[in-house]
């Protein structure tokens, strides 16, 4: 199938999800630009480039790129320090070039070392943030900008103190529209005859109904009418000259400024880390378990930031909120991200006045459901049942993301995970090897005594390079500890990827290795002795090269 046919293979579902992401992205682009002290159209330009250009160049099927809330503080400080927005654009352009270099030197491989429990903790934390941050917008209190993900807000409040203030600012029109929108969004997935209308996204119906309700309130002179401060507020150019002024260009004369280079390096590092975290999260969300080449992603982000800077846009990253909305809306391929970028471009040029009638309350209702799905209590229960060595990094990341920000929360989770691994490695050495193979051979992958999340990258690379129509033996006979990340990876490969590639899989010793692990994730002396006896009984399986492949 050609690349064009692959993009169009799921056009109906991708168009519907692209429309939903467009509706979510529009106020976020404007809100982040406003909070960054940049022109409002700078956020829209970044969203358009992130959708069309990065969406096309990336090989991620779910990720959506655009201006990121995590960069607002950096951007605001940088514009102030550099003196002009044009000098800041030069820093963004240089940051894009640095990201291109990072992609070519394969720095994206660092994402393979992010533990799954940390990524899941990050997603759950972001879900809570999305949900709590949308409650004020849902009832008509819009003091904080759309898309804010930080615990401490620019208005002096924090995520929780803001909730106590909303009762003094309830706007009944916004509350009614939020309730109606939620009923529509939930009914669309619950009522049988509505579920069959797949081409028309529930979010679009909710937006149309929200606009019509507010127009009715306005025309009837009702006190429920929502004012312009609670609607999407996209600038509307009145002439061609005003339209030309939207585009601002970098000041190349500032290239010798050390401040410009420091800002560029800061943006390149932070944007790259946030992108890699989001890509790992997107791959975890993907029901088809497709893996993204993170080095290609860094190159795509670099090109996107270069073009965004040349047109006067903000720096971009792959963004968890938009990616989550994309996945929840049923996206099948990266065509969804491209469509969202095209819709941003068309709408801001053709129908900005209509867009400015959309109530923020309707968009808040869409994000409320996205946040709930990300922070589903079942996820916390799932990691609790996996034992403390999985749960503690998960819950630490979750709390850290909610009460600080994404990067600090993830850093906390990774530090705790590394401490646990080092504790285990103090007691036993680690070894991992794989035998040489060619197409048609039986491939033997023997796992060592300990396989931690640090080995996920090597195992993932090995599995991805296995030829089609192969026969594979993955042997855990000698293994006394297997990280849940690696077990999940092997299980996904066996149940999904191997069937797509017609690869026969034989797992040896996994049941014993998994069953004998205690609640801490490590074996005690008794289980190690028992493990030794089991290993001796399995030796004849290892020595027998004529293994019969069958479904277990």
């Amino acid at each position: 199938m050609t690349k064009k046919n692959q993009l169009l293979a799921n056009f109906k579902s991708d168009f519907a999800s692209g429309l939903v992401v467009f509706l979510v992205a529009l106020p976020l682009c404007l809100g982040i630009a406003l909070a960054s002290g940049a022109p409002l159209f700078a956020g829209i330009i970044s969203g358009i480039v992130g959708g069309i250009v990065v969406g096309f160049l990336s090989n991620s099927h779910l990720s959506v790129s655009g201006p990121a809330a995590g960069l607002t503080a950096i951007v605001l400080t940088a514009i102030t320090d550099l003196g002009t927005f044009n000098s800041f654009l030069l820093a963004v352009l240089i940051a894009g070039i640095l990201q291109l270099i990072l992609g070519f030197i394969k720095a994206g491989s660092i994402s393979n070392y992010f533990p799954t429990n940390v990524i899941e903790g990050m997603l759950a934390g972001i879900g809570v943030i999305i949900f709590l941050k949308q409650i004020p917008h849902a009832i008509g209190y819009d003091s904080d900008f759309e898309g804010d993900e930080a615990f401490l807000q620019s208005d002096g409040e924090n995520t929780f103190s803001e909730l106590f203030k909303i009762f003094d600012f309830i706007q009944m029109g916004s509350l009614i529209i939020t309730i109606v929108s939620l009923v529509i969004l939930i009914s669309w997935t619950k009522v049988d005859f509505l579920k069959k209308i797949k081409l028309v996204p529930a979010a679009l119906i909710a937006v149309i109904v929200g606009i019509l309700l507010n127009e009715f309130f306005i025309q009837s002179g009702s006190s429920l009418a929502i004012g312009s401060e609670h609607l999407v507020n996209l600038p509307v150019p009145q002439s061609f000259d005003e339209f030309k002024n939207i585009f601002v260009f970098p000041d190349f004369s500032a290239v010798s400024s050390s401040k410009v280079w420091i800002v560029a390096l800061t943006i390149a590092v932070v944007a790259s880390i946030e992108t890699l975290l989001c890509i790992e999260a997107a791959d975890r969300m993907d029901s088809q378990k497709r893996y993204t080449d993170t080095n290609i992603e860094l190159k795509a982000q670099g090109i996107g930031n270069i073009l965004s800077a040349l047109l006067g846009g903000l720096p971009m990253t792959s963004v968890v909120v938009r990616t989550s909305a994309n996945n929840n809306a049923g996206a099948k391929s990266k065509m969804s991200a491209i469509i969202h970028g095209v819709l941003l471009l068309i709408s801001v040029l053709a129908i900005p006045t209509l867009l400015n009638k959309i109530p923020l309350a309707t968009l808040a209702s869409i994000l409320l459901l996205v946040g709930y799905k990300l922070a589903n209590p079942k996820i916390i229960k799932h990691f609790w049942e996996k034992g403390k060595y999985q749960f503690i990094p998960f819950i630490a990341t979750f709390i850290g993301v909610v009460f600080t920000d994404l990067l600090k929360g993830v850093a906390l989770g990774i530090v705790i995970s590394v401490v646990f691994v080092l504790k285990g490695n103090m007691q036993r050495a680690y070894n991992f090897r794989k035998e040489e193979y060619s197409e048609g051979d039986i491939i033997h992958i023997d796992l060592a005594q300990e396989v931690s999340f640090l080995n996920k990258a090597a195992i993932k690379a090995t599995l991805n390079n296995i030829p089609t129509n192969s026969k594979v033996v993955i042997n855990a006979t000698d293994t006394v500890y297997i990280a849940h990340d690696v077990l999940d990876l092997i299980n996904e490969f066996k149940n999904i990827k191997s069937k797509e590639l017609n690869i026969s899989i034989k797992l040896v010793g996994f049941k014993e290795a998994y069953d004998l692990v205690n609640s801490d994730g490590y074996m005690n002396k008794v289980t190690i002795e028992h493990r030794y006896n089991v290993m001796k009984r399995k030796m004849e399986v290892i020595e027998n090269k004529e293994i019969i492949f069958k479904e277990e």
Side-chain angles (χ1 to χ4, degrees), residues 369-389:
L369 291 183
V370 171
Y372 173 76
K373 289 180 180 178
L374 282 177
N376 194 312
K378 291 180 181 178
I379 298 171
I380 299 176
K381 181 183 177 184
H382 170 72
F383 279 96
W384 173 262
E385 292 172 348
K386 282 192 171 186
K388 69 181 182 182
Y389 279 81

Side-chain angles (χ1 to χ4, degrees), residues 165-386:
K165 294 187 66 174
I166 64 175
F167 298 104
D168 297 326
F169 298 93
I170 293 178
Q171 208 280 331
M172 289 306 298
S174 293
L175 184 58
I176 291 171
I177 288 176
T178 295
I179 294 171
V180 171
S181 299
L182 284 172
V183 169
I184 292 171
L185 293 169
I186 295 171
S187 300
W188 218 256
T189 60
K190 301 293 184 183
V191 181
D192 289 338
F193 79 90
L194 290 176
K195 287 193 289 186
K196 296 177 182 177
I197 313 175
K198 295 181 180 179
L199 186 60
V200 183
L204 178 61
I205 301 300
V207 166
I208 293 173
V209 171
I211 292 174
L212 293 177
L213 268 177
N214 192 46
E215 287 299 307
F216 172 76
F217 294 154
I218 292 172
Q219 296 302 322
S220 62
S222 170
S223 60
L224 297 176
I226 300 175
S228 59
E229 67 274 18
H230 304 301
L231 305 174
V232 170
N233 187 20
L234 185 67
V236 183
Q238 300 298 324
S239 65
F240 182 71
D241 287 336
E242 283 188 32
F243 178 75
K244 285 195 303 182
N245 292 335
I246 291 172
F247 301 100
V248 185
F249 305 103
D251 179 10
F252 290 97
S253 65
V255 71
S256 59
S257 170
S258 60
K259 288 184 177 180
V260 167
W261 285 89
I262 292 171
V263 170
L265 181 61
T266 303
I267 291 174
V269 171
V270 175
S272 297
I273 292 174
E274 288 209 11
T275 290
L276 294 178
L277 287 167
C278 182
I279 290 299
E280 277 295 299
D283 285 354
R284 292 295 304 168
M285 295 178 203
D286 189 358
S287 59
Q288 299 181 50
K289 300 305 174 188
R290 295 164 291 189
Y291 301 130
T292 300
D293 188 327
T294 47
N295 296 309
I296 292 177
E297 184 66 30
L298 285 180
K299 295 174 188 176
Q301 294 289 334
I303 293 171
N305 275 319
I306 290 170
L307 288 176
S308 181
L310 289 173
L311 294 172
L314 291 175
M316 71 187 66
T317 72
S318 178
V319 190
V320 174
V321 176
R322 271 157 270 191
T323 300
S324 303
N326 194 34
N327 177 63
N328 290 336
K332 301 296 183 185
S333 76
K334 63 182 184 179
M335 190 64 185
S336 177
I338 297 172
I339 289 170
H340 122 272
V342 172
L343 290 175
L344 275 175
L345 176 62
I346 293 173
S347 61
V348 298
L349 294 178
I351 53 170
T353 304
L354 179 60
L355 294 178
N356 286 343
K357 294 181 181 293
I358 300 176
L360 292 178
T362 297
L363 303 178
S365 65
I366 298 172
L367 288 171
L368 281 171
L369 291 183
V370 171
Y372 173 76
K373 289 180 180 178
L374 282 177
N376 194 312
K378 291 180 181 178
I379 298 171
I380 299 176
K381 181 183 177 184
H382 170 72
F383 279 96
W384 173 262
E385 292 172 348
K386 282 192 171 186

